[in-house]
Amino acid sequence: MSDLPAGVERRAIDGEDGLATRGEPVYGEPTQDGWRRWDAHRSKLGAMLELGMDTGLVGGETVLYLGAAAGTTVSHVADFAGPTYAVEFAARPIRDLLDAAESRDRLFPLLKDARKPETYAHVVEPVDVIVQDVATRGQADVALANRQFLADDGRLLAAVKARSEDVTADPEDVFDAVVADLESEYEILERERLEPYHADHLGVVARPR
């Protein structure tokens, strides 16, 4: 396994070893001594770390998180990162996301559409990392549209959901097509399927060209 970022540790909680961060619980995850289990079965980024992908995360980064939903993963990110901008379009999960942000002064929820970065460009500063977990058709387009925020030496950490692009196509064909689109502006450093944690998902680590 590649090195974990500062602020993320492997800990035995409730008798089970796994990733953990320090912070208030968000989604009913088990806690111990201020540490909270980071459930990789509920977090694509957690799965990337569990699988040993070289995310480049060291801790303290400024992060733009696209597709924050109710805050399951982005709350863990805000536990170890620097300023963390959490973009979520659906109104339903925003309340949970706001609750997660109450105890995290580095987490900034934005009720915005990740496909329209011009609507939050006045708020988001240049970032070291873009984490993309947007389950929508055109996942490569989202990463390309938000490239403007990413530092030249930054990282894109994307979870590509095959079924969001095409429910009938072979997932590997979908992954190849998305990666090919990304390569117009990103250099792909690593790609790996996220099984057994997430079926038909591909983890991608890339940097701007």
Side-chain angles (χ1 to χ4, degrees), residues 49-114:
L49 291 171
E50 281 281 15
L51 291 167
M53 296 186 70
D54 187 4
T55 62
L57 293 169
V58 297
E61 295 92 349
T62 301
V63 177
L64 174 60
Y65 194 106
L66 306 173
T72 297
T73 297
V74 75
S75 63
H76 286 290
V77 172
D79 285 346
F80 70 83
T84 302
Y85 300 94
V87 176
E88 174 52 47
F89 179 63
R92 182 181 53 79
I94 281 291
R95 179 172 295 181
D96 291 335
L97 180 57
L98 289 170
D99 287 345
E102 275 191 12
S103 62
R104 293 173 173 84
D105 57 9
R106 299 191 297 268
L107 179 55
F108 305 104
L110 299 172
L111 180 56
K112 300 290 184 181
D113 187 341

Side-chain angles (χ1 to χ4, degrees), residues 7 27 37 118:
Y27 52 100
R37 167 71 48 74
E118 67 274 8

